[in-house]
Amino acid sequence: MKKILVIALALGLAFFAANVNAQEKYVGGGFEMSGSIVTGMGYQYHNDKANTEIATDVDGVLTGPGPMGKYMGADPSKKHYFGFFLDGVELDIMKSFGENVRLRADLDFGRMNSSGAGTQAFVLEQAYATANIPAGNGVEFLVGRFNAPIGFESVDVADNDLISQTILIRSQIRPVGLTGAKIYYAFSDLVDLHFWAANRIINDDNFGRTANMPALGARIGFNWGEEGTESTFGISPFFGPSDGSSNRHYSFGVDADINWWLTESFALGLEGIYRRDNALVPGVDENLNTFAGLLNLHYVFSDVWDGTLRYSMAMQRQGTNGSIDYIGAGIKQQVHEIALGGGYAVADGAKFKLEGRFDIVKPTSGAGETQYVFGAVMGFVYNF
C-alpha cells in the first residue's frame, strides 16, 4: 500500500512539474499580445448615376466610393443607405527569442455578412520572422508576409486619423501586402533603408504563378524631430512583373510620402504616386499609367481632441492593361475624395471618431456620367 502511495505521489509531482514547465514555455520568455477593434455606423447617399468605382484590396475585398463603401459592397443598389459595421478585430502576437530573433503574426477577424463583397472572415495580415545580424549598426532580416513599407496611410484603420481608407490603399495603386523577404538598416537616427523582394506587387497572389522574376522595392527614409512628434520623409521605388504568368511585361512606379510636424500640434501629410503597368498584349491592350496622391492636415486641439482634413485622388489614364485595373470598370476615370473628421479620446486606448466625406467619381466622356457620393460615419476604435 505504501509503495502505491509513493508511486502515486511521484506521478503527481511529475505531472505538476511538467504542467509548470509547459506554462512557462507558453506564456513566458518575451511573449506579447496586442490588437484593436473598430466598429461603428454610418449614412451614405448616391446620386442616380451608374457606379464605376470598384476597387479590390490585397485580400480580395471589393469596395465602392464613400465612407461606407467598404461596408456596403462595390455596387450599392440604394440611393440612401444607413447601416452598422464591424471593420474587424485584430490580434497581434509576438514572441522574442533572446535579443536577436523575433516572430510576429497579425490576425484579422471579421464577419463576412457585415461588410462588403468578397470580405473574408479571417485574414492573415502579417506573419514573419526577423533576425538581427551584427553588421554595422545592425541589420534586420525579415522573411514571411509583411506590410509594404510604403506611403503615408496605414493598412490598419485603427492607426489612421480617419475611419475611411483612401483609394490609394483600397485599390493597391501602391503595394500593400507582400510575401517575401526584407532587409532594414538604420544608417543613423536620421536615415534608414528598407529593401525587399516579394512574389508580386499586386494581389500577393502565388496561386498559379509561373513568372520567376520577383518583385523588388525599397524605401529610403529621413527622420527628424522629438519623440511623439517625429517627422518622416520617404521615397519608395518598386518594380515587378505585371502578370503572374509572364516575365515579359512589367510594372514599375515610385511613391513619395511625408508626415511633417510643423508645430507640436499641427502635422502636414503628403503622398504622391506614379505607376506604369505595361500592356500584356501590345496592340490590343494599353500601357496603363496611374497617378494618385493625398493631402492630410492633422491638428491636435488638446490632450483629448484632434481634427483632420484629408483630400485624396487617383487618375487612371487608360482603362486596363489586360489584367490590372485599379479604379474599376475598365474605363478611364478620376476619383476625388474629401473628408473632414475629428477624434475624442474617451479613455486610454479607446477613441471616438466622427467623419464626413464627399466623393466624385468622374469617368471620361462617353464612358458614363459623374457620380456624387456623400455621407458620414461614426465609430469607436479600441486598442489593447
Side-chain angles (χ1 to χ4, degrees):
M1 185 66 180
K2 291 183 179 180
K3 291 183 179 180
I4 295 177
L5 291 175
V6 170
I7 293 173
L9 180 61
L11 291 175
L13 291 173
F15 176 79
F16 176 76
N19 188 49
V20 169
N21 289 334
Q23 290 180 353
E24 290 179 352
K25 178 180 179 181
Y26 286 106
V27 301
F31 182 79
E32 301 177 31
M33 295 179 65
S34 62
S36 64
I37 300 174
V38 179
T39 186
M41 63 180 180
Y43 163 81
Q44 186 162 300
Y45 168 83
H46 295 245
N47 65 357
D48 58 358
K49 308 305 179 183
N51 179 48
T52 57
E53 179 192 322
I54 305 173
T56 306
D57 74 7
V58 70
D59 296 309
V61 179
L62 307 180
T63 63
M68 292 289 288
K70 182 179 178 181
Y71 310 112
M72 56 189 290
D75 190 11
S77 58
K78 296 181 180 180
K79 291 180 62 176
H80 299 273
Y81 183 92
F82 172 82
F84 298 88
F85 63 84
L86 172 64
D87 184 85
V89 178
E90 178 167 334
L91 181 62
D92 303 335
I93 303 172
M94 291 153 282
K95 169 66 177 177
S96 298
F97 298 86
E99 298 181 356
N100 295 322
V101 178
R102 182 167 63 98
L103 302 179
R104 173 166 176 165
D106 293 3
L107 315 177
D108 294 353
F109 301 90
R111 181 174 180 268
M112 295 178 65
N113 292 338
S114 294
S115 191
T119 299
Q120 301 181 44
F122 169 74
V123 170
L124 184 61
E125 179 186 332
Q126 296 192 103
Y128 58 77
T130 62
N132 292 321
I133 302 172
N137 294 329
V139 178
E140 181 185 79
F141 176 73
L142 177 154
V143 62
R145 176 172 171 79
F146 55 94
N147 293 329
I150 296 177
F152 173 85
E153 187 176 7
S154 173
V155 176
D156 297 324
V157 171
D159 295 334
N160 292 323
D161 297 327
L162 299 174
I163 297 175
S164 67
Q165 292 180 309
T166 69
I167 189 67
L168 278 69
I169 200 166
R170 291 188 293 109
S171 63
Q172 302 181 79
I173 295 175
R174 65 170 170 87
V176 178
L178 304 169
T179 301
K182 180 170 73 74
I183 293 175
Y184 172 77
Y185 184 78
F187 297 96
S188 66
D189 292 338
L190 302 178
V191 183
D192 56 29
L193 173 69
H194 296 264
F195 177 80
W196 52 264
N199 290 331
R200 297 188 65 187
I201 54 178
I202 184 172
N203 296 335
D204 189 35
D205 183 6
N206 204 35
F207 180 76
R209 173 177 168 267
T210 57
N212 53 27
M213 174 66 186
L216 302 173
R219 182 184 189 272
I220 183 167
F222 304 89
N223 317 284
W224 68 97
E226 301 295 330
E227 185 177 356
T229 56
E230 186 179 27
S231 300
T232 62
F233 170 68
I235 299 176
S236 307
F238 51 90
F239 169 85
S242 296
D243 183 74
S245 62
S246 173
N247 289 325
R248 299 178 57 188
H249 311 287
Y250 295 95
S251 301
F252 59 88
V254 63
D255 178 285
D257 69 90
I258 186 170
N259 186 36
W260 186 4
W261 285 91
L262 299 173
T263 70
E264 293 183 354
S265 301
F266 178 61
L268 168 67
L270 291 168
E271 182 173 359
I273 306 171
Y274 167 71
R275 177 166 180 160
R276 178 184 174 92
D277 299 277
N278 290 337
L280 299 186
V281 184
V284 177
D285 303 320
E286 299 178 278
N287 294 323
L288 182 61
N289 293 283
T290 306
F291 302 85
L294 69 79
L295 167 67
N296 193 89
L297 304 177
H298 181 71
Y299 191 85
V300 180
F301 296 99
S302 67
D303 293 339
V304 294
W305 284 102
D306 64 70
T308 301
L309 174 64
R310 185 185 69 197
Y311 166 73
S312 50
M313 61 80 63
M315 179 186 299
Q316 192 164 287
R317 300 300 299 272
Q318 292 79 26
T320 176
N321 81 330
S323 67
I324 297 177
D325 177 10
Y326 299 106
I327 301 176
I331 59 176
K332 305 175 186 179
Q333 59 183 331
Q334 301 177 27
V335 171
H336 302 271
E337 305 166 337
I338 303 173
L340 176 64
Y344 175 72
V346 180
D348 187 22
K351 196 168 190 177
F352 169 76
K353 292 185 178 183
L354 181 65
E355 174 189 344
R357 180 168 145 178
F358 175 63
D359 287 16
I360 301 174
V361 183
K362 186 177 182 180
T364 54
S365 178
E369 299 182 55
T370 301
Q371 184 185 27
Y372 299 99
V373 182
F374 62 83
V377 292
M378 58 179 293
F380 288 92
V381 178
Y382 306 93
N383 291 289
F384 55 88

